[in-house]
Amino acid sequence: MSSNRKRLREARAALSEATSYAAWLDAAESHDAVTGASAWRADDTSEHYDAESLRSSIARMRTRRTSGDSQGLTDVMTEDLYRHLGDLGDPSLYTTALGGTKHLVSDWLDEAERCLDWLATADIPGLSAAEKRAQFALAHKVFGRSALLLSGGATWGFHHLGVVKALFEQGLLPHILSGASTGAMIAAGVCARNDTELAAMFADTGSIRLDGLVPRGVTSALKSGSWLDPARLHDVLRHNVGDRTFAEAFAHSGRALNISVSPVRRQQKARLLCWMTAPDVLVASAALASSALPVLFPPVQLEQRRDKGVEPYIPGELWVDGSLQSDLPKLRLARLHNVNHFIVSQTNPHVVPFVRQKGRRGVRPAVAGVASATLRSQATWAADLARRSTQPLTGQVGQLVDHAHALVNQDYRGDIDIHPRLDLRLLSKVVSNPSRADLETFILEGQRSVWPKIAQVRAQTRLSRAFARCVASLRSGTVPVPNNTLP
């Protein structure tokens, strides 16, 4: 008994001290062995799916694939993907064991991925090459896509760099990213770089400028109504994300950048800027606008590049911090990019304490969850009352009430939620430039917040990534590169 307790303490210590995913996974598997979670993974039974039906599905897919029955496999895949994927996406399947989910679930996903790769190369009776490409593209559209959403959070938002790094190193970084406020800065820097450039940036973070927050003089601050210098932040953003437009960034990296901005005028609506909605807008100006938290920064006029040079985008309209009204623009991402699976990296200090209990078991998380729901309900009621009472007001008071109402009424959760540990030592630096040491701490803590979610991200995005790989290969006329990690 004491031996098990010692092993458990050692595993927990190794988990908290890990500086790489390989080291973390090794500790996670040791932890699972001690707690009995390894045995849970090996046990096929579950209340969340029908084990016998899954085993039968694996056998049907494998039989048709190995016998070369492409038409029969197409029919089986059409039925079984939609029969089982809803069950296998249940979050409870990813909270018992740190090292992964049930082996039966992984076996089913293995076979489904093999079958998609095989169908992309096989002849299907009655389908021409063009028709096959169209069928795969349609299936991918119906299946949907994943997106990574990076919240606001001021300096805490630098945790997002670690989140991106962890997903990128595992080949799990979605090609659709959204950012608001600091999340917009990070998303812009990621989508401005191709894979080679992104790997180089993570290998040497010294190229990232960290001096964007500079106070104005008192006189200037009083005249402008903002405490920090927007020109310095804009200069730093141009250094970190380049001088590309949304369309140019997409063409360069293949990643679809989306940045939320909130309006100053009450009659305007929040916007989601991307290569489709605002192709000529300069990414750096969008990131600046999305980071313009009232009082700290003044509102921003967006800029676009046209044949005559740089000029205002929607002249006369000013924009502020995107997280105020649209921290996580899930509905617009769904409409624009066919996204139906959202991975959220949440670093807003006013949100993290309330969302971190989601999915946890036990009395304390349950009590914390009830308290969070109660507080949010009260805050929503107060914000609604304040908004109705001040509706006739204009100017800064009306704007602040609108922003407060939008903040408490937003949905801050995704299908997979990632958030850093609450470190009070870093709380004091929430609105200050991080040091190089701080940056490394933020990145490591960001990575550590992702590692327990890697198995869930991999499983829930696996077939979408396989569809994308097959569609790309069919369009280019090349043979799809299968997942070489499959046995």
Side-chain angles (χ1 to χ4, degrees):
M1 193 70 177
S2 62
S3 174
N4 276 347
R5 283 199 295 267
K6 180 181 178 183
R7 289 170 59 199
L8 187 59
R9 285 197 303 270
E10 291 173 346
R12 287 173 176 169
L15 285 169
S16 64
E17 296 168 4
T19 57
S20 70
Y21 179 63
W24 183 90
L25 184 58
D26 185 60
E29 290 175 344
S30 297
H31 184 277
D32 289 346
V34 177
T35 61
S38 294
W40 174 87
R41 294 186 67 190
D43 180 6
D44 285 353
T45 60
S46 173
E47 62 180 316
H48 302 295
Y49 59 75
D50 184 330
E52 184 57 40
S53 181
L54 273 185
R55 284 191 288 264
S56 296
S57 176
I58 292 172
R60 286 196 300 273
M61 290 189 290
R62 182 175 295 140
T63 297
R64 284 159 180 77
R65 175 176 60 82
T66 56
S67 66
D69 182 5
S70 57
Q71 184 59 64
L73 180 57
T74 300
D75 294 339
V76 168
M77 294 286 286
T78 300
E79 295 176 4
D80 286 10
L81 286 186
Y82 301 104
R83 184 198 306 268
H84 298 296
L85 278 174
D87 298 337
L88 303 189
D90 193 299
S92 299
L93 289 170
Y94 303 91
T95 56
T96 299
L98 295 175
T101 187
K102 296 274 191 177
H103 293 313
L104 179 61
V105 172
S106 298
D107 291 344
W108 187 88
L109 290 170
D110 284 348
E111 186 56 42
E113 187 172 1
R114 287 193 200 92
C115 289
L116 285 178
D117 284 331
W118 183 79
L119 281 173
T121 61
D123 290 329
I124 301 178
L127 282 184
S128 67
E131 290 170 331
K132 182 178 175 182
R133 286 195 299 272
Q135 289 285 351
F136 260 89
L138 179 60
H140 185 208
K141 183 175 181 179
V142 171
F143 195 85
R145 296 166 144 188
S146 295
L148 174 64
L149 285 65
L150 308 180
S151 76
T155 304
W156 267 18
F158 280 97
H159 280 103
H160 296 318
L161 275 174
V163 171
V164 170
K165 182 180 182 182
L167 294 173
F168 178 67
E169 289 179 343
Q170 295 302 311
L172 299 175
L173 181 64
H175 285 81
I176 300 167
L177 283 85
S178 172
S181 194
T182 308
M185 300 184 198
I186 304 302
V190 171
C191 293
R193 292 168 169 82
N194 59 31
D195 284 357
T196 301
E197 294 163 342
L198 192 56
M201 183 193 75
F202 284 128
D204 179 17
T205 57
S207 62
I208 302 173
R209 280 186 63 178
L210 303 174
D211 57 336
L213 305 182
V214 176
R216 298 174 184 251
V218 175
T219 302
S220 177
L222 290 174
K223 285 183 178 179
S224 65
S226 58
W227 182 247
L228 300 175
D229 182 5
R232 168 60 73 86
L233 181 57
H234 199 188
D235 183 55
V236 169
L237 283 169
R238 283 193 293 259
H239 173 87
N240 288 339
V241 310
D243 200 34
R244 291 190 171 94
T245 65
F246 278 88
E248 291 166 346
F250 178 67
H252 178 71
S253 69
R255 284 183 261 272
L257 170 65
N258 300 263
I259 290 181
S260 294
V261 291
S262 300
V264 170
R265 282 198 307 122
R266 274 187 165 181
Q267 292 80 5
Q268 267 287 358
K269 293 183 179 180
R271 298 291 180 93
L272 187 64
L273 307 172
C274 69
W275 69 271
M276 289 184 285
T277 63
D280 299 326
V281 169
L282 292 167
V283 168
S285 82
L288 179 67
S290 190
S291 305
L293 184 65
V295 179
L296 292 182
F297 288 104
V300 173
Q301 167 69 68
L302 292 169
E303 297 177 337
Q304 63 181 344
R305 183 184 294 124
R306 291 293 181 85
D307 294 337
K308 296 180 181 180
V310 176
E311 59 186 46
Y313 174 76
I314 313 182
E317 295 293 347
L318 299 177
W319 307 90
V320 294
D321 195 314
S323 63
L324 293 176
Q325 293 194 17
S326 189
D327 194 51
L328 307 176
K330 292 184 288 186
L331 182 59
R332 275 168 284 181
L333 287 170
R335 290 172 175 171
L336 286 169
H337 301 287
N338 196 41
V339 174
N340 60 358
H341 184 262
F342 301 93
I343 305 168
V344 172
S345 178
Q346 181 58 254
T347 60
N348 273 306
H350 66 283
V351 175
V352 172
F354 299 102
V355 300
R356 63 184 294 110
Q357 305 301 331
K358 179 186 176 185
R360 295 187 177 187
R361 298 180 178 181
V363 175
R364 289 180 62 185
V367 172
V370 171
S372 297
T374 302
L375 283 172
R376 179 173 181 182
S377 176
Q378 293 297 321
T380 300
W381 175 83
D384 285 338
L385 178 62
R387 195 182 191 205
R388 289 195 301 270
S389 302
T390 61
Q391 196 67 45
L393 296 179
T394 57
Q396 287 191 337
V397 174
Q399 291 171 13
L400 289 174
V401 171
D402 283 347
H403 293 328
H405 181 271
L407 277 174
V408 299
N409 277 280
Q410 292 184 53
D411 179 5
Y412 289 102
R413 293 174 175 173
D415 297 286
I416 298 177
D417 293 309
I418 299 167
H419 42 73
R421 292 186 296 183
L422 291 172
D423 188 340
L424 295 180
R425 293 171 301 173
L426 294 176
L427 184 59
S428 62
K429 300 181 178 182
V430 72
V431 188
S432 61
N433 292 318
S435 66
R436 291 292 164 189
D438 291 335
L439 180 64
E440 295 307 316
T441 298
F442 281 128
I443 291 175
L444 180 57
E445 287 302 318
Q447 290 176 276
R448 285 172 171 165
S449 69
V450 176
W451 292 335
K453 305 283 188 175
I454 287 290
Q456 186 179 2
V457 173
R458 179 174 284 117
Q460 292 189 356
T461 65
R462 188 166 175 181
L463 295 188
S464 177
R465 288 182 285 111
F467 268 119
R469 183 175 66 242
C470 291
V471 169
S473 68
L474 287 167
R475 286 174 175 168
S476 65
T478 60
V479 176
V481 179
N483 183 348
N484 292 326
T485 65
L486 296 179

